[in-house]
Amino acid sequence: MQKLSSSRAFARVAPHFVPALDRTLHRLTGGKMLLSAQMLPSLLLTARGAKSGLPRRTPLACMPEGDGPGSWILIGSNFGRPGHPDWTANLLAHPDAEISWRRRDIAVRARLLRGAEREAAWAAVVKFWPPYARYQARVEREIRLFRLEWR
């Protein structure tokens, strides 16, 4: 699964159907299921649009941190495609957001990771899901990492 998910073919096709399937499945199951959660821990992020200010719902893989309440790392990999995903611009403009995590709605604040903090998180992310290293190797931009913390 890791080899398939890091392929260029997957990067071309997946963005067109995986998020839509995840949103639909999440709605139909009352928040019990995300298709992408079959591969990686996943959450549904609701953040205000950077320009519109309207709520935008985006299913995302994440790396949970800690036991208990903890925090989450979001990886702006965009399936290894050149541009940053739109949800990252939304969090930069409006860091207060909400996630649906394990059937709970949780108010969070997002923080873009930089410097040594980002490097430590990146090492953990690549250990957690090695295909992220292949995504980074394919693009010139630095993949954005955000830490979501309870607010």
Side-chain angles (χ1 to χ4, degrees):
M1 186 53 78
Q2 288 185 16
K3 187 172 182 169
L4 171 67
S5 71
S6 63
S7 72
R8 290 184 189 274
F10 187 81
R12 280 192 303 272
V13 175
H16 302 290
F17 70 88
V18 172
L21 280 173
D22 265 342
R23 279 190 293 273
T24 300
L25 191 57
H26 188 267
R27 183 177 43 80
L28 291 175
T29 63
K32 294 178 188 173
M33 188 173 197
L34 289 170
L35 178 66
S36 56
Q38 305 311 304
M39 288 192 313
L40 283 167
S42 298
L43 54 79
L44 188 67
L45 172 71
T46 303
R48 290 188 300 151
K51 295 178 185 172
S52 71
L54 298 173
R56 302 292 186 210
R57 295 174 54 127
T58 309
L60 298 168
C62 66
M63 185 182 81
E65 294 185 301
D67 301 328
S71 57
W72 301 262
I73 298 292
L74 296 183
I75 303 96
S77 68
N78 204 13
F79 297 94
R81 297 183 311 162
H84 292 291
D86 291 344
W87 64 263
T88 67
N90 295 346
L91 288 180
L92 289 172
H94 305 286
D96 287 343
E98 186 174 281
I99 60 171
S100 177
W101 170 253
R102 296 184 178 165
R103 298 172 61 181
R104 280 184 72 185
D105 293 331
I106 302 168
V108 295
R109 179 163 292 121
R111 188 168 45 84
L112 179 65
L113 301 182
R114 299 181 189 273
E117 184 179 29
R118 187 206 178 275
E119 293 307 314
W122 180 252
V125 161
V126 169
K127 183 177 179 183
F128 178 71
W129 188 249
Y132 286 127
R134 288 190 284 275
Y135 289 170
Q136 182 62 78
R138 278 204 308 256
V139 298
E140 292 181 21
R141 67 182 174 87
E142 181 177 77
I143 290 176
R144 291 175 176 161
L145 299 182
F146 288 86
R147 178 167 282 123
L148 300 182
E149 297 170 313
W150 291 62
R151 62 177 165 97

